[in-house]
Amino acid sequence: MPPQALLPVLLLCALLLQAQAGHRSHSRKRMQTTSKMELFPEIKVCKKRPAFYLCKHLCESHRDCQANNVCCSTFCGNVCLSTL
């Protein structure tokens, strides 16, 4: 093979490898976001108004709350409220 043809072939191989790696990273991101959504259910608005002292204990997800409590959105931020 002549030396002038070697450079375009190597360039084509590099571009093909880069295109395949980009496709894989997009599918991984999609899988990570779906699994993250399953682990952290959506925080909804609280059905009842919490007491003011609960506003000191904010939460980011349901895992931050104790048993029989859920993390929900209120006037002072996200707080843990009892489901009972």
Side-chain angles (χ1 to χ4, degrees):
M1 183 183 289
Q4 295 90 359
L6 189 58
L7 185 61
V9 169
L10 288 175
L11 182 63
L12 181 62
C13 290
L15 288 174
L16 288 173
L17 286 173
Q18 188 177 20
Q20 286 181 344
H23 176 68
R24 287 182 186 155
S25 66
H26 287 300
S27 63
R28 267 193 210 138
K29 283 182 184 177
R30 200 174 303 132
M31 287 175 60
Q32 287 175 349
T33 55
T34 55
S35 63
K36 190 175 184 179
M37 289 182 345
E38 291 170 3
L39 292 175
F40 302 109
E42 182 180 344
I43 296 176
K44 299 178 181 176
V45 177
C46 295
K47 294 181 181 178
K48 56 185 179 181
R49 188 178 177 119
F52 283 109
Y53 72 89
L54 290 174
C55 292
K56 293 180 184 177
H57 308 285
L58 300 178
C59 59
E60 292 182 8
S61 72
H62 299 297
R63 290 184 176 198
D64 296 338
C65 302
Q66 295 177 354
N68 296 325
N69 289 328
V70 293
C71 185
C72 60
S73 178
T74 65
F75 63 93
C76 62
N78 296 339
V79 297
C80 295
L81 274 184
S82 176
T83 57
L84 302 176

